[in-house]
Amino acid sequence: MEKQQRNFGTWQLTSIMISSMIGVGILVIPRTATELLHQMGWLGPIAGAFVASLAVAAIVYLGNQFPGLTFVEFMPKIFGVAIGTLCICLFILYQFLNAGITARLFGEVVVTSVLPQTPLEVIIITLLLLVVFLCCHEIEVVARVNELLIPFLLLPSLLIPLVSFMNADWYNLLPFRFESWTNVMKTGLNTYTLYTGYELLMVYFAFAIPGARLGVASMTGMSFSLVVYLITVVAGITVFGYEELQRLVWPTLELVKVTQKTGWFLERFESAFLAIWVASVFTTIGNMLYATIFSLRRLFHKGIRFQQITAIVIMMPLFFLTLVPQNIVELFSYTQHLTNVGYLITIIIPILLAITQFIRNRFNKGREVNNAKGGT
């Protein structure tokens, strides 16, 4: 296996985390958050961030415990070879399926909003070809691409919701009460998927330079994503009201159209927004698929040639996977099923890994102290 250099800085890790988390989900978050909490839907992104932060803290701990190692190397060390290999396979399969679902969602948005005459298959295959090209390079290229595109993601993500406040009716946020904490918890578990992508840090943390601040990178990425999702939900509620949000397929895109009517200089503002959003989705899917293929490379102890061949071979089954849902309703159903599986992959396994490693460290430390006392 080729030796990889560790040259990811704190900002590059932050860029990867933000780019991985902000993608297709931003277009549906106002509807998802208000489904159960109604006018208090702004609590949804906060509850989701809390759930995700538990897993992120566990991944940061693991990254500090195993510098230079991806989850492919440290999972068998913690769980044993059999269970560790099973968890590795589950992680790789989950990322593969998630990349496929995200690509299909991307295609649906583009076809329904901007290019109605273009076949869905053409949109998806174009995106996948770009992603495969990225996956044929070494991992340093991923960091540079994320770092290059992150400015184009940061500004529009904040600007669109803030400008739409010009049309806001703040009474739509009233009254400040919710029916039960159960609905808050359910919404939190639904909206945590907006932050998924953080689990990819179990791959990318391995390439952090010595001294890179993993905790700072993680919390900066999480905080920015939370702010973006929070103001997007508040904008959706204040502009449309929670009842109307439930009737919109892509509520954030409707926010963009409302922003356009405020007298901005662009005639088709949603087209400009989607052009920038394409870069965001590209980095999201690119980071997912690269982590999947690179993990296979690490699992089989191969080099860049294996990675390039795998990237090309894997594209066809991924393409056909994106076409499995027959319509948008079925697509959202598949997404919900994948979310349910994601609880295990992105929350439970990282937390169990961190707890097991922590207990093992405490046990080994106690045993060393006892041996030292026995020796004296």
Side-chain angles (χ1 to χ4, degrees):
M1 183 175 65
E2 300 173 20
K3 183 68 175 176
Q4 293 285 325
Q5 292 184 335
R6 295 172 59 192
N7 51 11
F8 285 18
T10 303
W11 171 242
Q12 287 179 316
L13 291 170
T14 304
S15 301
I16 288 172
M17 187 168 183
I18 294 174
S19 298
S20 299
M21 289 194 293
I22 296 181
V24 177
I26 196 171
L27 295 184
V28 297
I29 173 62
R31 187 182 74 246
T32 306
T34 56
E35 186 176 355
L36 294 176
L37 294 179
H38 300 163
Q39 77 281 356
M40 296 292 287
W42 51 269
L43 283 173
I46 298 174
F50 175 75
V51 174
S53 294
L54 298 176
V56 170
I59 292 171
V60 170
Y61 175 76
L62 292 168
N64 288 321
Q65 287 289 303
F66 299 99
L69 299 181
T70 68
F71 74 96
V72 174
E73 287 92 21
F74 66 68
M75 271 189 184
K77 290 178 182 289
I78 299 175
F79 281 166
V81 175
I83 298 177
T85 304
L86 175 63
C87 291
I88 290 168
C89 293
L90 287 174
F91 181 92
I92 291 172
L93 180 62
Y94 171 77
Q95 293 303 330
F96 177 76
L97 295 173
N98 204 7
I101 290 293
T102 305
R104 174 61 185 273
L105 284 167
F106 165 80
E108 290 287 350
V109 174
V110 173
V111 167
T112 56
S113 305
V114 185
L115 303 172
Q117 303 302 317
T118 305
L120 177 66
E121 294 82 359
V122 174
I123 301 294
I124 294 174
I125 200 80
T126 304
L127 175 67
L128 293 183
L129 284 172
L130 287 171
V131 172
V132 167
F133 181 73
L134 175 66
C135 293
C136 288
H137 293 80
E138 286 289 7
I139 200 164
E140 292 84 3
V141 176
V142 177
R144 293 187 190 124
V145 168
N146 280 273
E147 194 174 18
L148 177 67
L149 294 178
I150 197 69
F152 299 100
L153 171 64
L154 298 183
L155 187 61
S157 299
L158 293 170
L159 190 62
I160 299 298
L162 290 175
V163 172
S164 65
F165 284 144
M166 296 170 65
N167 300 300
D169 180 359
W170 296 98
Y171 287 106
N172 286 335
L173 292 172
L174 300 176
F176 283 111
R177 69 167 185 268
F178 52 89
E179 295 179 6
S180 68
W181 283 104
T182 305
N183 286 341
V184 176
M185 292 172 61
K186 286 180 180 178
T187 304
L189 289 174
N190 284 333
T191 55
Y192 107 93
T193 55
L194 298 164
Y195 302 95
T196 52
Y198 62 79
E199 71 278 2
L200 301 178
L201 296 177
M202 289 197 288
V203 174
Y204 296 116
F205 271 169
F207 303 97
I209 58 175
R213 304 174 70 181
L214 307 187
V216 171
S218 301
M219 293 320 296
T220 303
M222 181 64 71
S223 300
F224 179 81
S225 301
L226 171 59
V227 170
V228 169
Y229 288 137
L230 183 60
I231 63 173
T232 301
V233 172
V234 171
I237 297 172
T238 54
V239 172
F240 296 115
Y242 73 87
E243 301 98 335
E244 183 64 26
L245 285 174
Q246 298 307 308
R247 302 186 184 98
L248 300 175
V249 180
W250 311 112
T252 306
L253 201 55
E254 298 301 323
L255 269 180
V256 177
K257 293 176 182 177
V258 168
T259 304
Q260 174 184 318
K261 295 175 184 176
T262 60
W264 275 53
F265 59 91
L266 290 173
E267 187 176 347
R268 291 293 303 275
F269 197 54
E270 74 270 21
S271 299
F273 169 77
L274 285 171
I276 298 167
W277 176 75
V278 165
S280 170
V281 176
F282 166 68
T283 52
T284 300
I285 299 176
N287 293 343
M288 283 180 195
L289 205 57
Y290 195 100
T292 303
I293 296 169
F294 188 82
S295 299
L296 288 170
R297 172 182 169 182
R298 279 294 180 99
L299 185 62
F300 293 109
H301 307 287
K302 299 293 184 179
I304 185 64
R305 181 63 62 188
F306 172 85
Q307 181 176 320
Q308 291 168 343
I309 294 171
T310 304
I312 295 168
V313 169
I314 212 171
M315 187 184 73
M316 289 313 295
L318 184 63
F319 172 67
F320 286 113
L321 173 70
T322 63
L323 301 179
V324 170
Q326 298 299 304
N327 50 55
I328 193 73
V329 176
E330 205 169 296
L331 178 59
F332 283 138
S333 175
Y334 279 111
T335 304
Q336 186 58 50
H337 291 318
L338 191 64
T339 298
N340 296 334
V341 176
Y343 296 138
L344 172 66
I345 309 298
T346 62
I347 298 178
I348 297 174
I349 288 179
I351 291 175
L352 285 178
L353 282 167
I355 291 172
T356 305
Q357 180 62 20
F358 178 77
I359 293 172
R360 181 172 294 170
N361 287 343
R362 299 288 292 182
F363 177 75
N364 290 338
K365 189 175 180 180
R367 189 166 59 181
E368 287 173 7
V369 170
N370 291 333
N371 288 341
K373 287 180 179 178
T376 56

